[in-house]
Amino acid sequence: TWQGRDQGGRHLESPVLIYQALYDVVTAAHGNAAMDRMLDIDNARSVSEYLLHSTRTSFTDIIQLMHYPDYDSYTVGHSVRVATLSVHLGEKMGLDDEQLLALGTAGLLHDVGKSKIPDEILFKPGRLDKEEFTIMQSHARVGAEILMEHKTATPLDVSAAWGHHLRHDGGGYPARPPWAVRDNVTKLLQVCDVFEALTAIRPYKAPMTPHQAFEIMLGDEGAFDPAVLTTFIRTLGLYPPGNQVRLSDGSHAVVVAAGTDVLRPLVELTADADGQPVPESEDNLINLDDEEQQELSVTELLLETGAS
Ligand SMILES: [Fe+2]
């Protein structure tokens, strides 16, 4: 049912407009929840369709657009990025379209409970004390409660909001009654949520490289469903799509897709060794996984630090 237009009839082929539509829907949901107004969940669902379409056609462009420091609104940016990563991962894990649409919607709304957390806690630059942390943790339960008031919210939307901080080993929060089972979608969101938080550009911390984030996640035994985490790392690779890299011949490129080898993605050249932009051409696409490209490799991930 993808029609390439938003509710105002604007064409949503451009990644910028799709990003804007995702961003708007999360901003509206959080704004309405903060004011105790009803959320437009149907709208979130239709935007999730754009998200599915765009992850298929232009995941690199979208995820690249998202990788900038958004200091004022990072709970919104976070939800958009988590939703995008989860749909991308869900597709690699073999979910069908209906499941992917549901996943995208749940991803966009999963942190809606944060709209009830006071700004002093939400945006506190340092470590939260015990009491503040308890308040912060309540966003999972509160988000589920907000969504339960909506007839249009699905059980999946509710369970994603409630359970996205639950660990594979039963830890995390909220306290899990013994009969509660994490559904697959929530497991997937949890992995994307932690990865996004570790690699995000925030005012109070330097972003981790994907490699560092994977190391921490792999080292946190029992935190994640092992199959989901493994697929996630394979899907993104150590140089995830959308990132700028330096190649061993000095040229710069943007990563387009992960390769079968996590170190050897498909890249598109952007600048030569002297820093001169290369003209657009199909020849710029280099699959480092190819036999004849074995002498070329990625030497550095060029991360934006957000510091200027
Ligand atoms: Fe959360």
Side-chain angles (χ1 to χ4, degrees), residues 78 110-111 114 139-140 161 164-165 173 193:
H78 168 74
H110 80 279
D111 252 350
K114 284 207 178 144
H139 82 271
H164 70 278
H165 289 285
Y173 61 88
D193 183 69

Side-chain angles (χ1 to χ4, degrees), residues 2-297:
W2 161 255
Q3 286 162 358
R5 289 168 186 273
D6 69 3
Q7 294 192 323
R10 287 182 307 178
H11 273 285
L12 285 182
E13 292 302 337
S14 134
V16 179
L17 288 182
I18 291 170
Y19 180 66
Q20 193 63 48
L22 294 169
Y23 202 87
D24 288 350
V25 102
V26 178
T27 306
H30 283 236
N32 283 331
M35 312 277 284
D36 292 325
R37 291 195 295 242
M38 294 304 272
L39 318 186
D40 188 347
I41 292 180
D42 289 337
N43 194 29
R45 219 168 287 294
S46 69
V47 166
S48 175
E49 251 181 75
Y50 305 137
L51 174 59
L52 175 56
H53 174 80
S54 61
T55 12
R56 284 192 174 135
T57 57
S58 42
F59 178 71
T60 310
D61 294 338
I62 299 270
I63 207 79
Q64 205 173 3
L65 271 179
M66 294 179 183
H67 207 76
Y68 70 98
D70 48 344
Y71 289 166
D72 303 326
S73 56
Y74 53 77
T75 47
V76 174
H78 168 74
S79 299
V80 172
R81 285 187 288 267
V82 169
T84 307
L85 285 169
S86 340
V87 170
H88 187 61
L89 171 61
E91 182 148 51
K92 302 283 172 193
M93 298 203 73
L95 303 193
D96 64 27
D97 280 19
E98 206 172 311
Q99 292 170 311
L100 290 169
L101 286 175
L103 170 59
T105 312
L108 289 169
L109 298 173
H110 80 279
D111 252 350
V112 74
K114 284 207 178 144
S115 59
K116 295 290 186 191
I117 305 298
D119 282 357
E120 313 87 82
I121 296 178
L122 202 56
F123 298 116
K124 188 176 171 180
R127 255 188 118 76
L128 301 179
D129 67 31
K130 204 165 170 247
E131 191 189 338
E132 291 166 335
F133 193 53
T134 308
I135 295 172
M136 182 64 137
Q137 288 181 328
S138 71
H139 82 271
R141 175 182 49 79
V142 169
E145 284 167 0
I146 291 171
L147 291 169
M148 275 195 289
E149 285 167 24
H150 294 74
K151 279 202 283 294
T152 43
T154 62
L156 182 71
D157 296 332
V158 175
S159 89
W162 183 77
H164 70 278
H165 289 285
L166 284 177
R167 292 164 54 97
H168 187 62
D169 59 13
Y173 61 88
R176 172 161 71 162
W179 46 263
V181 179
R182 284 199 319 166
D183 57 72
N184 282 328
V185 159
T186 308
K187 292 177 185 180
L188 231 135
L189 271 178
Q190 181 221 3
V191 166
C192 297
D193 183 69
V194 172
F195 176 80
E196 202 291 321
L198 292 175
T199 56
I201 302 169
R202 297 283 159 82
Y204 52 86
K205 68 166 184 73
M208 283 183 194
T209 64
H211 192 161
Q212 290 168 322
F214 292 151
E215 234 163 31
I216 288 193
M217 293 169 80
L218 286 165
D220 190 352
E221 233 173 285
F224 309 99
D225 181 299
V228 176
L229 182 57
T230 310
T231 310
F232 183 68
I233 294 173
R234 265 173 211 263
T235 301
L236 288 189
L238 291 184
Y239 306 108
N243 278 293
Q244 297 281 336
V245 291
R246 197 194 316 277
L247 301 180
S248 49
D249 64 358
S251 58
H252 286 201
V254 61
V255 180
V256 177
T260 32
D261 179 337
V262 289
L263 286 167
R264 308 191 62 81
L266 174 70
V267 301
E268 183 172 10
L269 284 182
T270 52
D272 63 21
D274 302 320
Q276 297 301 315
V278 294
E280 264 188 53
S281 141
E282 280 178 19
D283 299 341
N284 293 344
L285 269 188
I286 301 174
N287 188 351
L288 294 172
D289 245 354
D290 277 353
E291 197 80 44
E292 72 253 34
Q293 301 294 354
Q294 291 306 308
E295 75 287 357
L296 201 58
S297 61

